[in-house]
Amino acid sequence: MSGHKMMFSGLKLWTKGRSRHAWISRFHDGTNGSGNASFSTCSPKVCIVGSGPAAFYTAQSLIKNVINTFTQTAKHSRCSFYGNVNVGKDVSIKELQQAYHAVVLSYGAEGNRSMGVPGEDLAGVYSAKDFVGWYNGLPSCRELSPDLSCETAVILGQGNVALDVARVLLSPIDILKKTDITQPALEALAESQVRRVLVVGRRGPIQVACTIKELREMVNLPNTRPDMVAADFEGVTEALKDLPRPRKRLTELMLKTALEIPGEKEKRNKASRFWGLRFFRSPIEILADPDHNRTAGIRLGVNRLEGSGEGARAVLTGEVEDVTCGLVISSIGYKSIPIDPSVPFDSRKAIVPNNMGRIEQAAGLYCSGWLKTGPTGVIATTMNNSFDTARSMVEDMDSGTLDVSAAKTGSQSICALLEKRGVKPVTFSDWEKIDIVEMRRGEATGKPREKLLTVEEMLQVAQK
């Protein structure tokens, strides 16, 4: 895109509080500095719905990679940020399409994947999304108040989020006090009785979804001891030679951890907390206490694998195993949700049907990130995914498939519409006010930041 002549100027992010929903909306505002619109065929207006990595990488790509951080993207002269706007509620996709030449949906995957097992609605069962939102200060999760009075917690899923939850549950409180975990969460974690965390996966060590950085953090966690099942690693040593390098390094670390690192055994025996990866297990049922009020355990089905490598499939054997626990956290993935009935949506795959980011049967609509692919990959995957969508859009402009010749009002009409509806967007400079207040609050207690926990508090700060 380095030789492309089209100038994209302006981007708006529309967000609702601290939700994953964030809406960028506006490339090229179409103003000439006097507030009067001046339109031309070489100044297309693009609206990006989302404010996560996918949205910013898409924006970054469209303004030609002259910037390399999200903050710089939001502050760029051709980019505008608008938060506290809920697309699909405050403004419709159709209304955005009328105002812009193209609309990119990048609002991510904020829904929870259901386990689909009996008992998952019992007290003591939480989604990892909500649990992480609780200790990270997401306003919608503020009232979660998880019960941490049990000794054993079971986390379903073996991705990075699952290990992050395990690390938070087992970390010494002095370590957590130096992070930006919220004060209410710190107080609850300081009183936590959780001493053992099992991280359960339906497949084997070679298919584990976490990365080596997160696993190493668990291995090096002070005052904790790994609790692995050596039998889960049968045949893994022989398979190492055929693994790609990143997977090989991750698997080698698991092997060393499972089979006791020389010299580490004595130190580990003094640990008061335990964590372990459990493989070849799928949830069958959450077991209730005698009063049927809350979680008392989990029944796991034992699996065998069909196939090998990344494509291996877990198949139930009929054998089951019960684990006593008072806390179950489901980290089996997120799913996107539809936000507007005018946008095609595949409910089974929980994605918007698309071809290289072009939304099927919806001219002028594009998507990027997890809404495009499903919740998969790491940050680099999302970056490349977003660049591909931006490339598709520019190709469509070049070919004439996307008509940018008609005059579009862009943000002028959308802002007027929001004002009429009583919606007050938060600009990026408003967001920076929130950022500064949170960092100052954190500085007073020796933390990176102390987060504002309600949308109302954020808006009060932003509108000062």
Side-chain angles (χ1 to χ4, degrees):
M1 288 192 295
S2 58
H4 202 271
K5 300 297 184 184
M6 292 184 179
M7 292 297 292
F8 298 92
S9 64
L11 189 88
K12 289 186 180 165
L13 279 117
W14 317 83
T15 74
K16 198 67 173 177
R18 273 186 196 278
S19 167
R20 290 175 64 89
H21 262 19
W23 293 278
I24 304 176
S25 160
R26 187 186 112 203
F27 275 104
H28 192 29
D29 191 40
T31 60
N32 58 16
S34 63
N36 298 318
S38 59
F39 304 106
S40 73
T41 57
C42 62
S43 55
K45 298 175 184 64
V46 178
C47 165
I48 303 177
V49 179
S51 69
F56 273 104
Y57 281 131
T58 305
Q60 178 181 324
S61 184
L62 285 172
I63 49 181
K64 300 182 185 178
N65 294 333
V66 296
I67 44 185
N68 54 21
T69 70
F70 296 162
T71 298
Q72 287 174 313
T73 300
K75 286 186 169 183
H76 196 274
S77 60
R78 300 202 299 271
C79 172
S80 297
F81 175 103
Y82 286 78
N84 195 42
V85 179
N86 193 326
V87 173
K89 180 182 177 182
D90 297 332
V91 62
S92 71
I93 296 294
K94 287 291 187 186
E95 288 168 333
L96 293 177
Q97 285 185 287
Q98 290 168 4
Y100 297 91
H101 292 104
V103 175
V104 187
L105 304 181
S106 301
Y107 60 82
E110 64 171 296
N112 291 317
R113 289 191 180 275
S114 170
M115 289 185 283
V117 302
E120 67 177 307
D121 295 327
L122 284 168
V125 181
Y126 306 93
S127 73
K129 182 182 78 70
D130 291 345
F131 195 83
V132 171
W134 167 69
Y135 63 71
N136 276 336
L138 199 68
S140 61
C141 302
R142 182 171 171 244
E143 304 297 331
L144 195 69
S145 299
D147 185 347
L148 306 179
S149 62
C150 62
E151 181 177 323
T152 300
V154 170
I155 302 173
L156 300 170
Q158 294 179 327
N160 288 340
V161 173
L163 287 192
D164 190 56
V165 171
R167 181 179 56 82
V168 168
L169 284 171
L170 294 177
S171 288
I173 200 68
D174 288 342
I175 291 178
L176 295 180
K177 283 180 179 178
K178 298 174 184 177
T179 72
D180 63 358
I181 289 176
T182 67
Q183 190 60 33
L186 277 177
E187 292 170 4
L189 289 164
E191 300 297 321
S192 171
Q193 299 301 305
V194 176
R195 295 293 180 268
R196 180 170 177 254
V197 178
L198 300 180
V199 185
V200 177
R202 59 191 176 88
R203 300 194 292 172
I206 292 176
Q207 293 82 27
V208 72
C210 64
T211 54
I212 194 168
K213 176 180 178 293
E214 281 67 26
L215 180 63
R216 189 178 288 119
E217 286 180 346
M218 287 302 300
V219 172
N220 295 329
L221 201 60
N223 197 32
T224 63
R225 178 164 65 86
D227 174 20
M228 305 287 199
V229 177
D232 284 350
F233 294 85
E234 289 179 5
V236 171
T237 301
E238 293 75 14
L240 280 176
K241 64 180 186 301
D242 298 321
L243 298 177
R245 187 169 182 271
R247 172 66 68 180
K248 182 178 181 180
R249 291 175 59 232
L250 173 64
T251 308
E252 285 174 337
L253 179 56
M254 277 190 289
L255 270 171
K256 290 177 181 178
T257 305
L259 304 177
E260 294 288 357
I261 302 172
E264 291 288 298
K265 189 170 183 179
E266 183 177 345
K267 182 175 73 174
R268 288 178 174 178
N269 284 343
K270 296 178 181 178
S272 62
R273 301 186 178 196
F274 309 86
W275 68 275
L277 298 172
R278 291 292 183 270
F279 299 101
F280 311 111
R281 302 289 186 272
S282 293
I284 298 295
E285 181 181 0
I286 309 300
L287 305 175
D289 65 3
D291 296 325
H292 298 281
N293 290 327
R294 61 168 298 104
T295 303
I298 184 169
R299 178 160 295 158
L300 300 171
V302 179
N303 299 327
R304 60 179 173 82
L305 293 188
E306 288 186 352
S308 60
E310 299 287 347
R313 190 168 66 94
V315 178
L316 288 169
T317 63
E319 183 183 349
V320 298
E321 174 182 285
D322 290 352
V323 177
T324 300
C325 63
L327 178 65
V328 174
I329 298 174
S330 174
S331 184
I332 60 174
Y334 305 110
K335 66 177 182 179
S336 297
I337 57 176
I339 61 168
D340 193 294
S342 68
V343 180
F345 192 80
D346 185 331
S347 298
R348 186 177 64 85
K349 295 181 179 178
I351 62 169
V352 171
N354 70 92
N355 179 14
M356 293 296 291
R358 300 173 178 94
I359 296 179
E360 295 176 6
Q361 300 177 338
L365 276 181
Y366 299 81
C367 60
S368 64
W370 283 1
L371 183 66
K372 172 183 174 183
T373 62
T376 184
V378 293
I379 195 70
T381 315
T382 298
M383 179 178 67
N384 291 326
N385 164 312
S386 303
F387 290 171
D388 286 343
T389 293
R391 190 176 299 113
S392 292
M393 187 191 308
V394 173
E395 288 173 358
D396 290 349
M397 291 178 182
D398 282 338
S399 68
T401 303
L402 179 61
D403 183 6
V404 296
S405 62
K408 294 284 187 175
T409 55
S411 62
Q412 287 184 331
S413 61
I414 297 299
C415 286
L417 192 64
L418 292 172
E419 184 177 2
K420 183 179 178 181
R421 293 171 181 172
V423 180
K424 295 182 178 180
V426 172
T427 66
F428 194 74
S429 61
D430 293 334
W431 180 88
E432 287 184 305
K433 295 177 188 176
I434 298 171
D435 188 44
I436 289 169
V437 166
E438 290 186 340
M439 287 193 292
R440 284 177 179 169
R441 284 164 45 118
E443 187 178 357
T445 57
K447 298 171 63 178
R449 71 172 63 239
E450 186 61 53
K451 297 168 184 172
L452 301 173
L453 298 181
T454 68
V455 174
E456 290 72 24
E457 286 180 296
M458 296 177 204
L459 292 177
Q460 284 177 4
V461 171
Q463 292 166 4
K464 283 183 179 179

